[in-house]
Amino acid sequence: MEWEEAPRQHYTENEKQLIFNNEFMPHIHSMYNFGYRLTLDRDDAKDLVQDTYLKAYRFIESFQKGTNAKAWLFRILKNSFINDYRKKSKEPNKVDYQEVETYYNSEEVDRLITPDLRVESLKDMMGDEISNALNSLDVDFRTVIILCDLEDFKYEEMAKILDIPIGTVRSRLHRARNLLKEKLKSYAKTMGYNNA
Amino acid sequence: MATPTNPFIQPDGKKPTCMEMLQLIIDNQVTEEQRLYFSQHMGHCLPCYKKYNVDMAIKELLQSKCCGGNCPDDIVAEIKLKINSMTA
Ligand SMILES: [Zn+2]
């Protein structure tokens, strides 16, 4: 996945079309879902996807045919979101949270703050709860969950897509999962699982 | 009796904690060998067993409920139209 270092490619018009249709377009549904989960708005997602694909085409010669197109596209979309969309949106500045990379040493603390949700209470969640819980997370936390759980990216790919170190990917995922669990636990409580 | 080598052990010899192994499992960043080792480990580690089940249930819920929504056809058509006008 060395798209930054990859030498500029030279493609004929026909090759460009082939790459675009065979390597880029198959990811459009994942891209749309990513855009929607980031913006929480269908129209914004649509704009973001369209913008990403047009950029991908314009910069197609910095993509090396046959490499990781999906991660490359996700990175463009994420950058467009930060540069174009996030600036315009009224979303408050991202929460100032500390990226702790030594969090593994605090297992005891972790056990205390990690809510013990029960599998049974999760089974009754019909769909809106999980979606709302995910959407309620700060966008940086939401993003790592999407990349990992919905798109199955590897740490290294996520690090490249997000321009952050692998250690940060891991700690962010860890915190995101805890936050998500807390949210779900509060839903479970309102559903009547008092000991959820 | 020889105990199987823990495939989670780092090249520097550092032994992973339960939490570290569990995170790699939940994040789906493991080899088949590591997955096998962990499922055996869960057989005699109740905290891992419990946390694994809850975390996996959440992950499965996410995958079944938050992936939906195909990209509308008109976007696909619009993109293709714009690309064609760029190449023309
Ligand atoms: Zn354990």
Side-chain angles (χ1 to χ4, degrees):
Chain A
M1 261 213 333
E2 282 116 5
W3 59 66
E4 299 98 332
E5 300 87 15
R8 197 180 164 79
Q9 310 291 304
H10 295 285
Y11 300 126
T12 63
E13 287 307 317
N14 192 36
E15 276 177 315
K16 285 185 191 175
Q17 292 289 333
L18 279 176
I19 293 169
F20 194 83
N21 290 329
N22 300 339
E23 300 190 45
F24 295 175
M25 288 310 273
H27 303 294
I28 197 156
H29 299 302
S30 296
M31 296 284 283
Y32 178 71
N33 194 47
F34 186 39
Y36 172 64
R37 293 285 160 194
L38 288 178
T39 61
L40 305 179
D41 183 284
R42 300 262 171 219
D43 287 327
D44 288 335
K46 190 176 146 172
D47 290 346
L48 209 44
V49 168
Q50 207 175 79
D51 192 47
T52 302
Y53 273 89
L54 296 182
K55 272 186 195 152
Y57 191 80
R58 212 173 305 135
F59 298 109
I60 202 162
E61 293 190 324
S62 30
F63 173 75
Q64 202 177 344
K65 187 165 72 171
T67 59
N68 195 336
K70 187 177 175 184
W72 192 73
L73 292 167
F74 267 69
R75 187 168 188 252
I76 298 176
L77 191 145
K78 174 247 124 208
N79 285 338
S80 299
F81 171 71
I82 290 176
N83 297 330
D84 307 332
Y85 176 83
R86 210 170 182 178
K87 252 183 239 161
K88 283 183 264 168
S89 80
K90 286 178 224 79
E91 182 165 336
N93 283 339
K94 66 175 179 176
V95 185
D96 184 29
Y97 54 86
Q98 258 192 311
E99 305 271 18
V100 267
E101 294 192 22
T102 50
Y103 61 100
Y104 289 125
N105 300 329
S106 55
E107 258 187 74
E108 200 48 49
V109 180
D110 204 78
R111 200 167 297 138
L112 293 173
I113 61 158
T114 303
D116 57 331
L117 194 61
R118 284 192 313 195
V119 177
E120 304 86 79
S121 50
L122 290 168
K123 293 220 166 95
D124 285 346
M125 296 197 173
M126 301 312 288
D128 283 359
E129 294 91 350
I130 185 76
S131 189
N132 292 343
L134 177 64
N135 294 351
S136 76
L137 298 185
D138 178 71
V139 71
D140 288 333
F141 291 128
R142 210 188 309 149
T143 303
V144 285
I145 295 272
I146 298 165
L147 296 181
C148 183
D149 289 352
L150 304 187
E151 303 300 339
D152 209 23
F153 280 115
K154 296 295 148 203
Y155 287 151
E156 200 192 341
E157 293 173 312
M158 290 187 257
K160 292 224 174 179
I161 292 169
L162 302 174
D163 294 300
I164 54 177
I166 286 178
T168 308
V169 170
R170 293 177 62 160
S171 60
R172 205 177 275 183
L173 259 169
H174 179 81
R175 295 205 52 195
R177 291 195 192 286
N178 280 344
L179 292 168
L180 191 63
K181 230 181 274 181
E182 275 174 52
K183 243 319 178 270
L184 290 173
K185 198 189 179 188
S186 73
Y187 292 156
K189 270 215 171 101
T190 62
M191 284 161 65
Y193 287 95
N194 284 323
N195 288 316
Chain B
M1 198 180 87
T3 41
T5 325
N6 181 342
F8 284 93
I9 290 177
Q10 299 292 300
D12 62 9
K14 191 177 163 282
K15 203 169 170 274
T17 63
C18 284
M19 278 262 296
E20 284 172 305
M21 290 193 289
L22 186 59
Q23 191 185 0
L24 292 169
I25 291 280
I26 297 298
D27 294 348
N28 195 21
Q29 310 284 329
V30 291
T31 61
E32 213 30 61
E33 195 193 0
Q34 288 173 320
R35 189 178 303 285
L36 219 81
Y37 178 89
F38 188 78
S39 51
Q40 281 169 359
H41 167 81
M42 271 198 298
H44 52 82
C45 180
L46 192 61
C48 274
Y49 175 78
K50 277 180 157 169
K51 200 162 186 300
Y52 171 84
N53 280 306
V54 171
D55 286 359
M56 278 314 276
I58 295 175
K59 190 174 174 114
E60 281 159 18
L61 210 51
L62 280 166
Q63 289 170 340
S64 65
K65 307 289 184 186
C66 300
C67 275
N70 273 0
C71 184
D73 288 339
D74 61 321
I75 307 181
V76 180
E78 239 172 281
I79 290 171
K80 292 205 163 162
L81 204 71
K82 287 201 175 154
I83 297 296
N84 286 336
S85 72
M86 279 164 81
T87 57

